[in-house]
Amino acid sequence: MTLLIGSLDLGLIYGILALGVYISFRILKIADLTVEGSFVLGMAATTMLTASGHPIAGLAAALALGALAGTTTGILQTKLMINPILSGIIVMTGLYTVNIGIMGGKANIPILGSETIFNNSSNRTVTAFLIALMITMAISIFFKTRLGLAIRGTGDNEEMVRASAIDSDLTKCIALALGNSLVALSGGLIAQYQQFSDVGSGSGIVVIGLASVIIGEVLLGKRGISFGLFSAIGGSIIYRIIIAFALKIDLFPAYALKLISAAVVMAALSGPYLKKSLEHSYKMKQKKHKIRHKSTLARSNQ
């Protein structure tokens, strides 16, 4: 039970990360690697302000700094015409130094004993659930507004959006800012939940976000933007449960976490293709069986 509750807590908090990845990966159709830096950026900012006795201000700072990181990536893509993946790598690399600078030159900062939003609540699971629910609903409503529809249109058909006199460069920057602000907020919440931040926490975080999005889509399906956002949260919870049980049964050592994560993503990505291949193979066998059956009947009639 403790394992499941812990997985649920982390799944809900990392679900906010999955929302940010969903915006860039599914809506904009961009693999944004900035998230590996912005996640730690949120952790660093939140940790330092939480240690000073301002946990709410820490989370607000995480949102603002994450949006700034996403905007920077957007400007590199749209104004300097740098490849989207390279733009994310450039910002991610630069943020490594920024994050250490925010943390006072230290690679790890504990905040044990400091007041956090989880310390002030009697049930951390309820707190995590309410935060994830409110954010998901707010993002869902946003993507049904005129600006939200313009962002969705940019991801679907940028040329059509430009022809409609909409600044697609601006919508990209806004979407990347929104996505990375959510990622940074997730990092801040994780820092308060675990009561420490580490500069290496962002390594492979994009894989966790992708795994959550893809698992949610594979198991829950694709039924529009609102359902997609909630399925990303569900996928994050399922992912954390899978990881927890994989480590619990001692089949893998603790240092194999990233290998397990990569395997889960690979399985989730290849799942739909393998399913279609098996269905096609089954249909072909059925078709061949019917042809043979008809041939046998024709011969017997002769």
Side-chain angles (χ1 to χ4, degrees), residues 53-70:
H54 306 287
I56 303 298
L59 296 175
L63 277 168
L65 290 174
L68 181 60

PDB file of all heavy atoms in Angstrom, residues 53-70:
ATOM      1  N   GLY A  53      12.082  30.230   3.610  1.00  0.00           N
ATOM      2  CA  GLY A  53      10.773  30.338   4.239  1.00  0.00           C
ATOM      3  C   GLY A  53       9.666  30.811   3.333  1.00  0.00           C
ATOM      4  O   GLY A  53       8.627  31.279   3.806  1.00  0.00           O
ATOM      5  N   HIS A  54       9.846  30.683   2.001  1.00  0.00           N
ATOM      6  CA  HIS A  54       8.829  31.141   1.042  1.00  0.00           C
ATOM      7  C   HIS A  54       8.507  30.030   0.033  1.00  0.00           C
ATOM      8  O   HIS A  54       8.883  30.120  -1.146  1.00  0.00           O
ATOM      9  CB  HIS A  54       9.326  32.383   0.304  1.00  0.00           C
ATOM     10  CG  HIS A  54       9.755  33.503   1.208  1.00  0.00           C
ATOM     11  ND1 HIS A  54       8.853  34.273   1.908  1.00  0.00           N
ATOM     12  CD2 HIS A  54      10.997  33.951   1.534  1.00  0.00           C
ATOM     13  CE1 HIS A  54       9.505  35.176   2.626  1.00  0.00           C
ATOM     14  NE2 HIS A  54      10.806  34.994   2.416  1.00  0.00           N
ATOM     15  N   PRO A  55       7.808  28.990   0.458  1.00  0.00           N
ATOM     16  CA  PRO A  55       7.531  27.860  -0.445  1.00  0.00           C
ATOM     17  C   PRO A  55       6.619  28.220  -1.621  1.00  0.00           C
ATOM     18  O   PRO A  55       6.836  27.752  -2.739  1.00  0.00           O
ATOM     19  CB  PRO A  55       6.867  26.827   0.475  1.00  0.00           C
ATOM     20  CG  PRO A  55       6.326  27.621   1.623  1.00  0.00           C
ATOM     21  CD  PRO A  55       7.275  28.747   1.804  1.00  0.00           C
ATOM     22  N   ILE A  56       5.619  29.052  -1.383  1.00  0.00           N
ATOM     23  CA  ILE A  56       4.713  29.445  -2.470  1.00  0.00           C
ATOM     24  C   ILE A  56       5.433  30.322  -3.476  1.00  0.00           C
ATOM     25  O   ILE A  56       5.284  30.161  -4.695  1.00  0.00           O
ATOM     26  CB  ILE A  56       3.477  30.184  -1.913  1.00  0.00           C
ATOM     27  CG1 ILE A  56       2.732  29.311  -0.887  1.00  0.00           C
ATOM     28  CG2 ILE A  56       2.541  30.572  -3.058  1.00  0.00           C
ATOM     29  CD1 ILE A  56       2.200  28.025  -1.451  1.00  0.00           C
ATOM     30  N   ALA A  57       6.245  31.252  -2.968  1.00  0.00           N
ATOM     31  CA  ALA A  57       7.026  32.110  -3.858  1.00  0.00           C
ATOM     32  C   ALA A  57       7.996  31.281  -4.684  1.00  0.00           C
ATOM     33  O   ALA A  57       8.275  31.605  -5.844  1.00  0.00           O
ATOM     34  CB  ALA A  57       7.789  33.157  -3.050  1.00  0.00           C
ATOM     35  N   GLY A  58       8.506  30.202  -4.097  1.00  0.00           N
ATOM     36  CA  GLY A  58       9.412  29.315  -4.819  1.00  0.00           C
ATOM     37  C   GLY A  58       8.743  28.676  -6.021  1.00  0.00           C
ATOM     38  O   GLY A  58       9.328  28.598  -7.110  1.00  0.00           O
ATOM     39  N   LEU A  59       7.509  28.231  -5.837  1.00  0.00           N
ATOM     40  CA  LEU A  59       6.768  27.619  -6.942  1.00  0.00           C
ATOM     41  C   LEU A  59       6.412  28.657  -8.008  1.00  0.00           C
ATOM     42  O   LEU A  59       6.432  28.360  -9.208  1.00  0.00           O
ATOM     43  CB  LEU A  59       5.503  26.945  -6.412  1.00  0.00           C
ATOM     44  CG  LEU A  59       5.728  25.753  -5.456  1.00  0.00           C
ATOM     45  CD1 LEU A  59       4.402  25.244  -4.911  1.00  0.00           C
ATOM     46  CD2 LEU A  59       6.468  24.633  -6.169  1.00  0.00           C
ATOM     47  N   ALA A  60       6.083  29.867  -7.563  1.00  0.00           N
ATOM     48  CA  ALA A  60       5.788  30.946  -8.517  1.00  0.00           C
ATOM     49  C   ALA A  60       7.030  31.287  -9.338  1.00  0.00           C
ATOM     50  O   ALA A  60       6.951  31.519 -10.552  1.00  0.00           O
ATOM     51  CB  ALA A  60       5.283  32.182  -7.767  1.00  0.00           C
ATOM     52  N   ALA A  61       8.188  31.300  -8.666  1.00  0.00           N
ATOM     53  CA  ALA A  61       9.445  31.566  -9.370  1.00  0.00           C
ATOM     54  C   ALA A  61       9.750  30.462 -10.376  1.00  0.00           C
ATOM     55  O   ALA A  61      10.257  30.731 -11.473  1.00  0.00           O
ATOM     56  CB  ALA A  61      10.587  31.690  -8.367  1.00  0.00           C
ATOM     57  N   ALA A  62       9.432  29.228 -10.008  1.00  0.00           N
ATOM     58  CA  ALA A  62       9.649  28.105 -10.925  1.00  0.00           C
ATOM     59  C   ALA A  62       8.821  28.287 -12.194  1.00  0.00           C
ATOM     60  O   ALA A  62       9.320  28.079 -13.313  1.00  0.00           O
ATOM     61  CB  ALA A  62       9.280  26.786 -10.237  1.00  0.00           C
ATOM     62  N   LEU A  63       7.573  28.681 -12.030  1.00  0.00           N
ATOM     63  CA  LEU A  63       6.709  28.932 -13.189  1.00  0.00           C
ATOM     64  C   LEU A  63       7.285  30.023 -14.092  1.00  0.00           C
ATOM     65  O   LEU A  63       7.361  29.864 -15.315  1.00  0.00           O
ATOM     66  CB  LEU A  63       5.310  29.344 -12.717  1.00  0.00           C
ATOM     67  CG  LEU A  63       4.333  28.235 -12.338  1.00  0.00           C
ATOM     68  CD1 LEU A  63       3.130  28.817 -11.621  1.00  0.00           C
ATOM     69  CD2 LEU A  63       3.893  27.456 -13.565  1.00  0.00           C
ATOM     70  N   ALA A  64       7.706  31.122 -13.483  1.00  0.00           N
ATOM     71  CA  ALA A  64       8.204  32.258 -14.257  1.00  0.00           C
ATOM     72  C   ALA A  64       9.514  31.923 -14.975  1.00  0.00           C
ATOM     73  O   ALA A  64       9.679  32.225 -16.170  1.00  0.00           O
ATOM     74  CB  ALA A  64       8.409  33.461 -13.337  1.00  0.00           C
ATOM     75  N   LEU A  65      10.431  31.280 -14.270  1.00  0.00           N
ATOM     76  CA  LEU A  65      11.727  30.955 -14.870  1.00  0.00           C
ATOM     77  C   LEU A  65      11.586  29.876 -15.947  1.00  0.00           C
ATOM     78  O   LEU A  65      12.285  29.904 -16.964  1.00  0.00           O
ATOM     79  CB  LEU A  65      12.702  30.493 -13.782  1.00  0.00           C
ATOM     80  CG  LEU A  65      13.162  31.585 -12.813  1.00  0.00           C
ATOM     81  CD1 LEU A  65      14.004  30.983 -11.688  1.00  0.00           C
ATOM     82  CD2 LEU A  65      13.937  32.671 -13.544  1.00  0.00           C
ATOM     83  N   GLY A  66      10.669  28.925 -15.713  1.00  0.00           N
ATOM     84  CA  GLY A  66      10.413  27.908 -16.731  1.00  0.00           C
ATOM     85  C   GLY A  66       9.868  28.522 -18.005  1.00  0.00           C
ATOM     86  O   GLY A  66      10.258  28.145 -19.115  1.00  0.00           O
ATOM     87  N   ALA A  67       8.968  29.498 -17.840  1.00  0.00           N
ATOM     88  CA  ALA A  67       8.417  30.198 -19.008  1.00  0.00           C
ATOM     89  C   ALA A  67       9.516  30.961 -19.749  1.00  0.00           C
ATOM     90  O   ALA A  67       9.536  30.995 -20.985  1.00  0.00           O
ATOM     91  CB  ALA A  67       7.320  31.166 -18.561  1.00  0.00           C
ATOM     92  N   LEU A  68      10.446  31.552 -19.006  1.00  0.00           N
ATOM     93  CA  LEU A  68      11.557  32.279 -19.615  1.00  0.00           C
ATOM     94  C   LEU A  68      12.453  31.329 -20.413  1.00  0.00           C
ATOM     95  O   LEU A  68      12.889  31.651 -21.527  1.00  0.00           O
ATOM     96  CB  LEU A  68      12.371  32.988 -18.535  1.00  0.00           C
ATOM     97  CG  LEU A  68      13.577  33.814 -19.010  1.00  0.00           C
ATOM     98  CD1 LEU A  68      13.127  34.916 -19.960  1.00  0.00           C
ATOM     99  CD2 LEU A  68      14.320  34.406 -17.807  1.00  0.00           C
ATOM    100  N   ALA A  69      12.716  30.144 -19.852  1.00  0.00           N
ATOM    101  CA  ALA A  69      13.541  29.158 -20.558  1.00  0.00           C
ATOM    102  C   ALA A  69      12.863  28.706 -21.847  1.00  0.00           C
ATOM    103  O   ALA A  69      13.499  28.595 -22.901  1.00  0.00           O
ATOM    104  CB  ALA A  69      13.800  27.957 -19.647  1.00  0.00           C
ATOM    105  N   GLY A  70      11.546  28.456 -21.781  1.00  0.00           N
ATOM    106  CA  GLY A  70      10.800  28.037 -22.965  1.00  0.00           C
ATOM    107  C   GLY A  70      10.763  29.121 -24.024  1.00  0.00           C
ATOM    108  O   GLY A  70      10.884  28.843 -25.227  1.00  0.00           O
TER     109      GLY A  70
END
